[in-house]
Amino acid sequence: MLQFFYFTVLLLAIFNTGARAAQAPVKLLSDGNKIPIIALGTAGSKEDVARMRQAVYWAIEAGYRHIDTAELYGNEVEVGQGIADAIKNGLVMREELFVTTKLWNNHHNRDIVIPALQDSLKRLGLDYVDLYLIHTPIAQKSDGQYEDIDYLETWRGMEAAQKLGLTKSIGVSNFNSEQLGRILSNCEIKPVVNEIEVNPTLTQVPLVSYCRSVGVEVMSYSPFGFMVSRNKLDTPPPKFDDPDLVKIAQKYGKSTSQIVLRYLIDRGTIPIPKSTNKERIKKNIDIFDFQLNEDEVATINKFNKNQRVIEFDDWKNHPNYPFHKP
């Protein structure tokens, strides 16, 4: 009888392991909260918005526990619906998920940070988010005109939002080292994340190193860089069929896209691959059964051209434009 009991437990364990997809490891943020080391990116076109509810569900089904969105993306409602569907169907509990959203430029006034987050929470259908980021250091009015608001004042509003429990952690996005350092020198609560573009053609080695030195984790958006079609001419390598990437991919039995995501993780960053395709979503998280060595990371670093996919050209004359400095 006892042997039958143990056999039954073993079968249940095997069944449950197969039923639940492997989940991404987590790392500890400087405030003590844990963050999964890969996220589903949700920025995209208007057509992508309509597909985002299903994409979020597929991602959670595939093992993602971190979803990255923003007010700017116009898809917080759909992201929230995908999360609600997954919870309703028993795929996950809310406390197992890590949800990131962002404060847009027209809400930089200290007094409207909390109302802006509350609006995001209503759209998401959530009581709190796990991470709230200042999307850029540039303040604008609703009509797009620049507004003279110091991002340190915005940060005071972010701190207040965390104290109210509307977000568990706070951070920034698209900040350079000087801007991030200024917050660190003038804050009560330190930012735990800086979300920036990082990929093989924009390795951001100095900024990533700086963030690491001050205890700020880097989330990497546009992780594939110009490997993905950007409707631009004369884009730099690598492409998905680059011989160096193919060689590494063949060694590990992976695709070149998986190699690039693993490269970003092995550099200590948190990549944010975006997809609304079920198979690509599953493929992008299937990267935790191998690790690149130092030589392979160095090989991919050599593609660096300091060339951005996302430029924010309209802001280049603004004094807070972050990309003039690392």
Side-chain angles (χ1 to χ4, degrees):
M1 190 70 174
L2 189 60
Q3 288 179 329
F4 176 77
F5 171 77
Y6 285 129
F7 180 69
T8 303
V9 169
L10 178 61
L11 284 179
L12 287 172
I14 293 171
F15 176 79
N16 288 332
T17 300
R20 297 196 62 161
Q23 296 171 27
V26 299
K27 61 170 63 178
L28 198 64
L29 296 169
S30 62
D31 63 1
N33 292 319
K34 294 177 181 178
I35 185 170
I37 65 172
I38 190 171
L40 177 74
T42 64
S45 64
K46 291 182 180 179
E47 291 76 17
D48 287 331
V49 171
R51 296 191 288 262
M52 201 50 65
R53 178 177 186 169
Q54 183 67 77
V56 168
Y57 187 89
W58 283 336
I60 293 171
E61 192 175 45
Y64 288 78
R65 293 298 178 262
H66 186 176
I67 311 295
D68 177 85
T69 185
E71 177 188 351
L72 175 66
Y73 304 163
N75 62 18
E76 288 176 313
V77 169
E78 290 75 15
V79 167
Q81 290 170 339
I83 291 171
D85 291 343
I87 292 172
K88 180 181 177 181
N89 289 340
L91 295 183
V92 70
M93 294 184 290
R94 169 63 184 98
E95 54 267 30
E96 295 179 275
L97 293 176
F98 192 101
V99 181
T100 298
T101 195
K102 308 177 191 74
L103 178 83
W104 186 236
N105 297 354
N106 60 336
H107 299 310
H108 273 218
N109 187 298
R110 176 178 182 174
D111 294 333
I112 60 176
V113 171
I114 287 175
L117 176 51
Q118 289 171 328
D119 286 343
S120 283
L121 291 173
K122 288 177 184 176
R123 289 188 289 268
L124 287 163
L126 300 176
D127 296 325
Y128 67 92
V129 291
D130 298 271
L131 179 62
Y132 197 42
L133 305 177
I134 301 178
H135 207 143
T136 86
I138 294 174
Q140 293 177 286
K141 298 178 182 179
S142 295
D143 62 4
Q145 296 296 310
Y146 293 138
E147 196 165 14
D148 186 19
I149 300 175
D150 191 331
Y151 54 77
L152 290 183
E153 285 301 301
T154 311
W155 190 253
R156 305 283 181 263
M158 299 287 284
E159 291 174 326
Q162 182 172 348
K163 290 175 183 178
L164 284 177
L166 299 175
T167 180
K168 289 189 173 183
S169 298
I170 51 178
V172 296
S173 178
N174 296 303
F175 274 56
N176 62 34
S177 57
E178 183 178 291
Q179 293 162 338
L180 180 56
R182 187 165 174 256
I183 290 181
L184 288 167
S185 298
N186 295 277
C187 66
E188 181 181 351
I189 301 173
K190 293 182 178 181
V192 297
V193 160
N194 188 14
E195 184 175 315
I196 57 175
E197 182 181 338
V198 188
N199 52 59
T201 47
L202 185 69
T203 56
Q204 298 261 47
V205 170
L207 183 51
V208 171
S209 296
Y210 172 76
C211 288
R212 178 173 294 175
S213 73
V214 294
V216 174
E217 297 295 338
V218 170
M219 289 172 60
S220 305
Y221 69 77
S222 298
F224 300 121
F226 292 103
M227 295 171 72
V228 177
S229 175
R230 303 289 179 180
N231 297 318
K232 295 182 179 181
L233 298 175
D234 301 322
T235 56
K239 303 301 181 189
F240 285 111
D241 60 354
D242 183 273
D244 286 335
L245 292 182
V246 169
K247 182 179 179 181
I248 299 172
Q250 289 175 339
K251 172 183 173 182
Y252 294 105
K254 297 291 181 178
S255 69
T256 52
S257 60
Q258 290 170 311
I259 293 301
V260 168
L261 293 175
R262 185 70 226 191
Y263 154 79
L264 292 168
I265 287 173
D266 289 338
R267 288 189 56 208
T269 78
I270 299 166
I272 315 171
K274 173 255 169 184
S275 181
T276 57
N277 178 282
K278 185 176 184 179
E279 292 309 310
R280 282 197 292 270
I281 287 171
K282 291 167 63 177
K283 188 176 180 181
N284 286 342
I285 200 172
D286 182 22
I287 55 174
F288 297 110
D289 55 353
F290 75 105
Q291 185 174 350
L292 301 186
N293 61 44
E294 290 183 4
D295 289 341
E296 290 161 343
V297 170
T299 294
I300 300 174
N301 276 339
K302 291 177 182 178
F303 289 111
N304 183 52
K305 295 291 186 296
N306 293 320
Q307 188 168 341
R308 297 178 179 276
V309 171
I310 309 296
E311 289 280 6
F312 300 125
D313 289 336
D314 294 343
W315 303 341
K316 284 187 175 179
N317 294 324
H318 192 281
N320 282 346
Y321 183 72
F323 303 153
H324 291 317
K325 299 179 181 179

